[in-house]
Amino acid sequence: MEQTFIMIKPDGVQRGLVGEIISRFEKKGFYLKGLKMMNVDRSFAQTHYADLSAKPFFPGLVEYIISGPVVAMVWEGKNVVVTGRKIIGATNPSDSSPGTIRGDYAIVMGRNVIHGSDSIESARKEMALWFPEGIAQWQSNLHPWIYE
Ligand code: IDP
Ligand code: MG
């Protein structure tokens, strides 16, 4: 089944939003397959956001991501990449709908609480970067109650 990489950024951790965010993905019916809190160093953050290295906000973005611990996760489910992005909301919290994580909990782009892979290909790359050790192998017994 499809998997995506989700990361609670340092502001989400500091603001005590870890439980709330995990709950939203769990209650939707997605399966948690990887979870760890970690501090990342500058070069790791630069690698994660390599596609944005030419942007003027890149140095600030890297400082933001290394400013405190993050929570890295792998979530699994049908269409989890696209649906995860919908649960997260638009990049700019001014445009994120209420009911999304960024719409409910963030005000500016540089403190928008959470990251989610933007495609199946990015998810594959980001999971390899963040979980080189691999993820948990388990199947939920609730599966037939979530999928027909
Ligand atoms: P995404 O997180 O919604 O996928 P991206 O365009 O991939 O958005 O940008 C990565 C992160 O960089 C954003 O989540 C946000 O924290 C930050 N960012 C993007 N654009 C800006 C900006 O114009 N100013 C400040 N930070 C930005
Ligand atoms: Mg992105």
Side-chain angles (χ1 to χ4, degrees):
M1 222 187 317
E2 191 171 302
Q3 295 174 334
T4 194
F5 173 70
I6 300 290
M7 184 247 304
I8 305 174
K9 296 176 178 180
D11 51 335
V13 173
Q14 294 289 342
R15 292 175 56 199
L17 297 174
V18 172
E20 171 67 26
I21 289 168
I22 289 176
S23 252
R24 289 185 179 210
F25 282 85
E26 268 186 336
K27 287 174 183 168
K28 173 71 175 169
F30 292 135
Y31 304 139
L32 183 58
K33 292 290 175 97
L35 174 71
K36 61 184 173 183
M37 177 178 265
M38 59 192 286
N39 289 277
V40 298
D41 64 19
R42 184 169 273 100
S43 75
F44 189 95
Q46 287 167 342
T47 302
H48 172 71
Y49 280 123
D51 291 352
L52 299 174
S53 61
K55 302 282 187 190
F57 59 82
F58 184 72
L61 174 59
V62 170
E63 292 304 321
Y64 166 38
I65 296 305
I66 69 174
S67 65
V70 300
V71 174
M73 295 178 281
V74 173
W75 287 91
E76 184 179 278
K78 186 175 194 296
N79 296 326
V80 69
V81 171
V82 165
T83 305
R85 295 276 294 187
K86 288 182 187 161
I87 290 170
I88 288 170
T91 304
N92 188 340
S94 299
D95 302 326
S96 327
S97 303
T100 66
I101 292 167
R102 288 168 174 166
D104 288 348
Y105 300 120
I107 297 177
V108 298
M109 273 195 283
R111 297 288 184 275
N112 64 359
V113 173
I114 184 166
H115 165 85
S117 306
D118 63 7
S119 66
I120 290 174
E121 176 60 13
S122 308
R124 194 191 54 73
K125 274 201 255 178
E126 291 171 1
M127 288 187 291
L129 176 67
W130 288 81
F131 287 91
E133 71 277 24
I135 57 169
Q137 302 300 316
W138 70 286
Q139 305 301 327
S140 171
N141 287 329
L142 290 181
H143 196 80
W145 297 105
I146 297 170
Y147 293 88
E148 65 176 9

